[in-house]
């Protein structure tokens, strides 16, 4: 792995499955009418009576999974009617059998009604939850000042949009600044800490003239939160960047997070940035943080990845070789790079247990635009 030295300066799809609240797959909706057609076709084609009428009794319960109460009732009525058509010769059911089918059909309509009401309530709650999570981590804009942005976020906890990772890119009076980090823990328990850190970052972008002071502001925010939390060891890793007005230089501060990777042409190089302690451990002298400056050429891209990427392991225990694979995965579209790395990561480690965050920043000053 080659290192590119930085010049020191003193100035971190709906993944829900069918059984986790996602809409049922198409085959679930097709199954009830397909079963009706299959039973009718089989009985009409066969020269002898077939004892398959019991299959029709399964249609109302199957309809509960994806149909409304009205549609379930109609399918139940179709089943009862088919059992009474002499030409189909479906077992010649007796009165008790018909009453059983009718009872199952009525019960299915009731269950479908309850399911529909619960689905509507869950959809409302999910909409509110997604709105709240987007308020914490809003969608990343395609461009912030002279910097093009592309990001990817996959929370470890299914059904959530926000976990323990965070990123943001903001323009302020001191340039375009970006942050990506990972708080202690993941899932919904870490969302409050993420919201607190992002709020502190957005304020610091506006009133802190030095990037090191921004890191100090985030560190102080965590120290205050830790004093009021059950776990006083609360901490977070982060990497902060500040682009010059012409996007020809970037200043970087790394606080316990993996350093950025510079994509220049066909090579991927991990930047050699002086690391500092994670946030929340007390950066009492933020001005002493060594801010590193890297010169950027036209076409360069900065790739930032959270611990969930670089610490992912395959079945043999090997870590995901991000830098080695990044150059081969990169193409001319920076927006697609994060998605391609995610697809490659899932192939390498299908069972990703941690939050995964990637951020691609491409300098695009006015002359290039």
């Amino acid at each position: 792995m080659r290192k590119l030295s930085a010049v020191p300066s003193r100035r971190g799809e709906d993944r829900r499955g069918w059984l986790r609240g996602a809409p049922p797959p198409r085959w679930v909706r097709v199954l009830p009418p397909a079963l009706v057609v299959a039973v009718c076709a089989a009985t009409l084609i066969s020269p002898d009576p077939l004892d398959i009428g019991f299959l029709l009794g399964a249609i109302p319960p199957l309809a509960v999974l994806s149909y409304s109460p009205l549609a379930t009732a109609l399918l139940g009525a179709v089943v009862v009617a088919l059992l009474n058509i002499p030409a189909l010769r479906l077992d010649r059911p007796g009165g008790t059998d018909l009453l059983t089918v009718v009872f199952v059909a009525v019960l299915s309509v009731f269950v479908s009604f309850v399911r529909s009401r619960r689905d509507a309530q869950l959809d409302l709650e999910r909409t509110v939850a997604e709105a709240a999570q987007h308020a914490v981590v809003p969608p990343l804009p395609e461009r912030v000042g002279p910097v093009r942005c592309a990001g990817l976020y996959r929370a470890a906890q299914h059904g959530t949009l926000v976990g323990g990772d965070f990123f943001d890119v903001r323009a302020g009076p001191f340039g375009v600044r970006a942050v990506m980090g990972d708080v202690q823990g993941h899932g919904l328990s870490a969302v409050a800490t993420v919201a607190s850190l992002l709020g502190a970052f957005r304020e610091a972008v506006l009133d802190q003239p030095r990037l090191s002071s921004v890191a100090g502001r985030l560190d102080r925010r965590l120290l205050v939160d830790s004093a009021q939390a059950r776990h006083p060891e609360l901490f977070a890793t982060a990497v902060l960047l500040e682009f010059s007005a012409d996007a020809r230089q970037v200043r970087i501060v790394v606080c316990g997070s993996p350093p950025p990777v510079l994509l220049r042409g066909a090579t991927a190089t991990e930047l050699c940035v002086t690391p500092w302690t994670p946030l929340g451990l007390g950066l009492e002298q933020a001005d002493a943080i060594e801010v590193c400056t890297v010169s950027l050429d036209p076409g360069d891209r900065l790739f930032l990845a959270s611990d969930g990427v670089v610490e992912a392991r395959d079945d043999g225990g090997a870590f995901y070789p991000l830098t080695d694979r990044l150059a081969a995965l990169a193409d001319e579209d920076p927006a697609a790079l994060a998605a391609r790395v995610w697809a490659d990561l899932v192939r390498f480690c299908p069972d990703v247990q941690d939050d995964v965050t990637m951020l691609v920043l491409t300098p695009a000053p006015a002359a290039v635009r």
Side-chain angles (χ1 to χ4, degrees):
M1 180 184 301
R2 298 190 302 111
K3 299 280 186 179
L4 181 67
S5 299
V7 180
S9 169
R10 290 295 175 183
R11 288 193 62 188
E13 84 264 334
D14 189 352
R15 299 172 62 202
R16 292 178 293 137
W18 172 32
L19 300 180
R20 296 179 181 269
R26 182 174 300 178
W27 65 265
V28 176
R29 291 188 60 85
V30 172
L31 189 57
L35 189 57
V36 171
V37 173
V39 170
C40 293
T43 55
L44 292 175
I45 293 174
S46 175
D48 300 320
L50 297 177
D51 294 336
I52 59 174
F54 67 93
L55 294 175
L56 295 177
I59 291 177
L62 289 175
V64 169
L65 299 175
S66 56
Y67 284 89
S68 65
L70 178 59
T72 303
L74 291 176
L75 285 171
V78 169
V79 168
V80 174
L82 292 176
L83 289 174
N84 286 278
I85 296 178
L88 296 178
R89 300 169 295 174
L90 293 173
D91 303 347
R92 297 180 181 179
T96 303
D97 296 332
L98 284 176
L99 287 177
T100 300
V101 172
V102 171
F103 174 77
V104 171
V106 172
L107 183 61
S108 298
V109 172
F110 173 74
V111 174
S112 178
F113 173 77
V114 174
R115 180 196 58 79
S116 299
R117 295 294 297 271
R118 290 177 63 88
D119 285 352
Q121 181 64 28
L122 287 174
D123 287 341
L124 176 60
E125 292 177 358
R126 185 176 297 113
T127 300
V128 174
E130 290 180 354
Q133 292 178 86
H134 278 306
V136 175
V137 182
L140 195 65
E142 294 183 2
R143 179 186 294 274
V144 179
V147 180
R148 292 178 58 193
C149 312
L152 182 141
Y153 197 130
R154 292 292 184 272
Q157 186 168 344
H158 290 275
T160 62
L161 302 177
V162 180
D165 288 0
F166 62 94
F167 60 74
D168 199 3
V169 183
R170 296 275 166 164
F174 309 104
V176 174
R177 288 169 171 173
V179 63
M180 192 183 76
D182 182 5
V183 307
Q184 179 190 20
H186 56 79
L188 294 177
S189 61
V191 173
T193 306
V194 168
S196 180
L197 284 174
L198 285 176
F201 171 75
R202 291 160 186 167
E203 289 293 327
V205 165
L206 299 177
D207 56 29
Q208 294 298 325
R210 295 187 300 273
L211 188 62
S212 58
S213 300
V214 178
R217 175 71 67 85
L218 300 182
D219 179 73
R220 188 181 67 178
R221 179 71 267 169
L222 269 185
L223 288 175
V224 173
D225 293 346
S226 297
Q228 304 172 356
R230 293 182 179 181
H231 306 286
E233 69 279 4
L234 184 65
F235 67 92
T237 60
V239 55
L240 296 98
L241 298 90
E242 179 183 274
F243 290 87
S244 61
D246 58 1
R248 298 295 187 184
Q249 286 186 330
V250 61
R251 289 174 283 276
I252 304 172
V253 169
V254 173
C255 298
S257 185
V261 177
L262 176 64
L263 281 167
R264 175 171 291 170
T267 62
T269 307
E270 185 179 277
L271 296 176
C272 185
V273 181
T274 303
W276 291 86
T277 59
L279 303 173
L281 302 183
L283 299 176
E284 297 180 358
Q285 297 180 350
D287 292 340
I289 298 177
E290 186 174 353
V291 180
C292 297
T293 302
V294 176
S295 298
L296 299 174
D297 296 335
D300 285 353
R301 285 162 288 177
L302 290 170
F303 187 90
L304 288 74
S306 65
D307 294 338
V309 178
V310 297
E311 294 181 358
R313 302 190 185 205
D314 61 8
D315 295 335
F319 289 105
Y320 178 69
L322 174 63
T323 306
D324 296 338
R325 299 201 181 199
L326 199 54
L329 295 172
D331 57 14
E332 296 181 358
D333 183 11
L337 177 57
R340 298 182 69 178
V341 173
W342 167 251
D344 185 62
L345 177 66
V346 172
R347 286 191 296 267
F348 182 87
C349 177
D351 188 22
V352 180
Q353 297 292 334
D354 199 1
D355 298 320
V356 169
T357 307
M358 305 177 206
L359 187 60
V360 184
L361 301 175
T362 305
V368 176
R369 282 183 283 170

